[in-house]
Amino acid sequence: MHPALRAVRGAVAAASVALLATAVGCAPQPEGDATAKPSGSAGGSSCAPGKLATKTPGKVTVATDDPAYEPWFKDGKPANGKGFESAVAYAVAQRLGYGTHAVVWQSVPFNKAFAPGEKTFDFDINQVSISDERKRAVDFSSGYYDVRQAVIALKEGKAAKAKSIADLKGLKLGAQVGTTSLNYIDDVVRPTRPAAAYAKNDQAKSALKNGQVDAIVVDLPTAFYITSAEVTDAEIVGQFENQGAAPEQFGLVLDKGSALTPCVTTAVDALRKDGTLAKLEQQWLSDAVDAPVLK
């Protein structure tokens, strides 16, 4: 956003808050922890099974990116119920009272899913990490997966010898734009050379294979899949420790202030409590169990 526009908008927002505080004697509530609580409000909404205020009555519209990558989806087909995120989406829908045939899939680019503006979907599932910055534009459910970021390099490349974060600083690193993977490069590694940002993970993988970057950063399950099935002459150099007290988590993305947010969060929490999320993780992400930690 242009600084001047941001300043004007900020001034208007401040004036509105002041008027509201005078009228009702109540100050705005502070934002909660990004990984612990949903970012929406119940707002008197009903969570009656199968009768939510969805985009299309009687159906729930779920969005993800195209292509849909493994191991999160299988065969590039989100609607087949295979892959961790496809299975989670259907499990959440079922908890909300919508059967398999009531789930409608929609293609939405990764960055657009959490950009400001009204959404065309009920919720998006696409490895979107919960963050305070993103919560200013959209709502998140509670986290459905705890994740770490990992570094991939060609086995014969110089990055493969890295044993620490310091060893990565002088290398050319790349990641998909708008991701926490790219944030880890900029904020944790802080390399001496600018990171390469790619619109898609496919482009980052091609850059690695072609020697345009020394290493790329992706989430750990994706790293295991890439090195085992897509770039077999590459290996996982290591994983980063989580930054801060709470783990990085993926959350379902909803419209800002969506009446569905508390309902979806309740569904995700129930799936975690009854062990469904753990079972799906074991089924679809069992390979992503360990990797050296880079410090």
Side-chain angles (χ1 to χ4, degrees):
M1 183 185 297
H2 191 281
L5 180 57
R6 185 182 293 113
V8 172
R9 182 172 294 181
V12 173
S16 298
V17 169
L19 288 172
L20 180 60
T22 301
V24 301
C26 178
Q29 295 299 307
E31 188 174 28
D33 182 88
T35 61
K37 296 182 181 297
S39 50
S41 172
S45 64
S46 170
C47 295
K51 297 182 179 180
L52 279 65
T54 54
K55 298 293 184 181
T56 302
K59 297 184 181 294
V60 59
T61 302
V62 184
T64 196
D65 204 351
D66 182 19
Y69 297 108
E70 297 195 26
W72 310 103
F73 300 93
K74 190 73 173 175
D75 302 323
K77 299 176 181 179
N80 64 14
K82 299 178 181 180
F84 180 71
E85 290 194 328
S86 179
V88 168
Y90 281 109
V92 169
Q94 185 174 21
R95 279 278 179 178
L96 295 174
Y98 297 88
T100 301
H101 297 296
V103 177
V104 178
W105 286 90
Q106 186 180 98
S107 176
V108 173
F110 178 82
N111 277 341
K112 189 175 180 180
F114 50 86
E118 185 177 356
K119 306 307 175 190
T120 56
F121 51 78
D122 293 310
F123 67 81
D124 178 278
I125 184 166
N126 189 25
Q127 307 113 64
V128 181
S129 295
I130 302 169
S131 72
D132 287 333
E133 180 180 359
R134 290 171 178 171
K135 283 168 63 177
R136 289 195 284 267
V138 295
D139 279 359
F140 280 98
S141 70
S142 51
Y144 62 87
Y145 180 69
D146 299 349
V147 66
R148 283 191 174 189
Q149 299 297 321
V151 179
I152 301 174
L154 296 180
K155 294 176 181 178
E156 301 302 321
K158 55 184 177 182
K161 299 177 182 179
K163 302 295 183 185
S164 67
I165 292 174
D167 293 338
L168 299 173
K169 288 187 178 295
L171 304 177
K172 182 67 175 180
L173 307 175
Q176 183 176 345
V177 68
T179 62
T180 52
S181 301
L182 187 58
N183 291 343
Y184 266 71
I185 296 175
D186 293 335
D187 301 335
V188 178
V189 179
R190 297 180 182 179
T192 57
R193 305 168 65 185
Y198 300 96
K200 301 280 186 179
N201 261 340
D202 278 345
Q203 296 172 353
K205 288 181 287 188
S206 294
L208 177 64
K209 288 190 287 187
N210 296 332
Q212 295 170 305
V213 292
D214 297 310
I216 60 173
V217 177
V218 295
D219 58 77
L220 188 56
T222 298
F224 272 94
Y225 182 77
I226 289 174
T227 54
S228 65
E230 296 183 313
V231 189
T232 55
D233 58 342
E235 63 184 8
I236 298 174
V237 176
Q239 62 178 309
F240 294 107
E241 290 182 306
N242 281 314
Q243 304 298 302
E248 178 187 350
Q249 292 184 314
F250 291 157
L252 304 178
V253 181
L254 300 94
D255 258 325
K256 185 66 178 175
S258 173
L260 299 183
T261 303
C263 306
V264 173
T265 287
T266 298
V268 172
D269 289 344
L271 293 173
R272 184 179 290 276
K273 185 175 181 179
D274 69 11
T276 298
L277 291 180
K279 291 177 182 177
L280 294 177
E281 184 176 334
Q282 178 63 32
Q283 179 180 358
W284 297 108
L285 306 178
S286 59
D287 288 340
V289 293
D290 199 14
V293 176
L294 299 168
K295 297 182 179 181

